Every structure is written in C-alpha cells, then in structure tokens.
Amino acid sequence: MAAARSFDRSGYQRTTLFEVSRAAAMSKGALSFHFGSKEELADTVRREACTRTFQATELLRAKAQPALQTLIDLTHLVAEQLANDHLARAAVKLSRELETPPDPEVNPLACWRQVFTEVAREAEKDGTLRPETTAETVAEVAFGLASAAPTDQAEGGADPHERLSAHWQLLLYGLVSQPGPEHLWIAGTESDWLRVSGCELQKAE
C-alpha cells in the first residue's frame, strides 16, 4: 500500500524505492529483498488491484438480483475504487504509464471491461435488455460512466454515486425491456460502497 500511494501520487517515474521503503517503515534493503526492482513492485501493485477487484465483483454477482442491477452496482463499485482506493488508482496510472498486456489479471482496465461485458451478456440472455441493444455496447457505456464519474468530484462537483444515479435514471428507459426499470435501484444495492470495494483502509487522502 505504501507503493500504491506513491505511484498514485507521483507516478512511476517519480516514485523511488527509497520513498516507498520510508513510507512502509522498512529499510530499502528489506524492500529489495521482496521486490527486486521498481518494475516488479509496480507489477505487484497492478496484480493486487485486479485480484481485489475480482473479489469485490464476485460479491456483487453472487446476489440474487437481475444482471442489469449487478451492472449498475458494478459502475458504483468502480467509481468508488477510482475515487477512494489508492491501489486501484495506482494500478490504472501504472497501466497507462507502462507497457501493460491486455491481461485482466494485471491490467485493471481489462479486468473491469471483462466483468462488465460478462454481466451485460447475462442481462442480454435473461431478456432484461431491449432486443435492439447489444451486450457489448451496454457494457461499454456502463464502463464509460463508471470511469468518468469520479472526475466531477475531483473538480468540486457532485458525488460520483449521485452522478451515476442521475445518468442511470436517463439510460434505463432506453435499455430495459418491458415492464420497465422501476424494479431497478439506480443508486445501487449497497449503502456502503467503501465496504464492498474493500478500500476502507485505502481511502484517498
């Protein structure tokens, strides 16, 4: 987490192993014993972020609810991670600064897109989506909403969850087949997104 905070704050090039070791309250030698290079440390941060994302999404997908509701929940989850989770934010920054394979186990963007697409296909199969829509398009729109939601908050705007809810309120009437979207919760089914996202101890400073 010390490395994640440094990468999130300073990026890959400006982060040093000395800075990370000092923040982690350990010697640089001890840090180097576990991580042979800064590149290896960055790779571990990306992998850990993807692992935690898969764990969090599994909790949402295990619920007995429509797949489209799970997709809504996923947008709130990703928005929460990007707003408050150093690990997720660092992983995204690293994936953009470094050459990163399109592997969902190490690339957080690929990880999120894979899950969004899988859930959108489930919504397509259960008949929730209008027949003229495609799962891939719905997943792309949902992911775009989730990744953009924290931006407004960073600029002093609305809470990302409020912004997402407003967008979903408009979108659902164009996506959902009859009898309509009244049975779906645009604010998501969780009251504590910090708990679900697993970033209680990682909230952005």
Side-chain angles (χ1 to χ4, degrees):
M1 286 312 303
R5 290 187 179 93
S6 293
F7 288 135
D8 180 23
R9 179 177 58 252
S10 305
Y12 180 78
Q13 295 297 335
R14 295 178 59 189
T15 294
T16 65
L17 291 180
F18 174 76
E19 174 189 351
V20 173
S21 63
R22 183 175 59 182
M26 65 191 308
S27 69
K28 184 178 177 182
L31 179 66
S32 299
F33 177 79
H34 294 284
F35 304 98
S37 65
K38 186 169 69 170
E39 184 177 1
E40 183 180 344
L41 186 58
D43 182 70
T44 302
V45 167
R46 287 178 294 183
R47 288 183 180 277
E48 181 64 18
C50 292
T51 296
R52 294 194 185 188
T53 290
F54 278 127
Q55 292 172 344
T57 57
E58 284 177 4
L59 293 176
L60 296 179
R61 297 180 73 176
K63 290 184 173 184
Q65 62 184 16
L68 187 54
Q69 180 65 65
T70 300
L71 189 66
I72 295 172
D73 289 351
L74 286 172
T75 63
H76 285 280
L77 170 66
V78 172
E80 185 66 41
Q81 289 181 318
L82 290 175
N84 294 307
D85 186 354
H86 285 294
L87 190 65
R89 288 152 58 105
V92 170
K93 182 173 286 189
L94 290 169
S95 69
R96 289 171 174 164
E97 293 182 353
L98 303 175
E99 184 177 348
T100 305
D103 181 352
E105 292 188 2
V106 69
N107 188 319
L109 301 177
C111 169
W112 285 324
R113 286 194 178 98
Q114 174 180 303
V115 176
F116 273 62
T117 302
E118 290 174 354
V119 175
R121 286 173 180 164
E122 292 171 6
E124 186 177 50
K125 289 180 181 179
D126 67 22
T128 304
L129 300 180
R130 290 182 181 273
E132 62 267 25
T133 64
T134 66
E136 288 71 22
T137 300
V138 172
E140 183 179 353
V141 170
F143 180 68
L145 290 178
S147 57
T151 304
D152 196 43
Q153 183 187 38
E155 297 172 353
D159 175 86
H161 299 294
E162 293 178 1
R163 189 181 185 190
L164 275 174
S165 297
H167 287 157
W168 276 116
Q169 187 170 27
L170 292 174
L171 283 171
L172 285 179
Y173 286 95
L175 294 177
V176 180
S177 59
Q178 296 301 321
E182 290 79 7
H183 63 294
L184 298 171
W185 295 85
I186 58 175
T189 59
E190 293 289 336
S191 60
D192 186 356
W193 288 104
L194 279 177
R195 177 185 62 80
V196 179
S197 63
C199 57
E200 299 99 324
L201 303 179
Q202 306 161 37
K203 192 171 183 178
E205 298 168 355

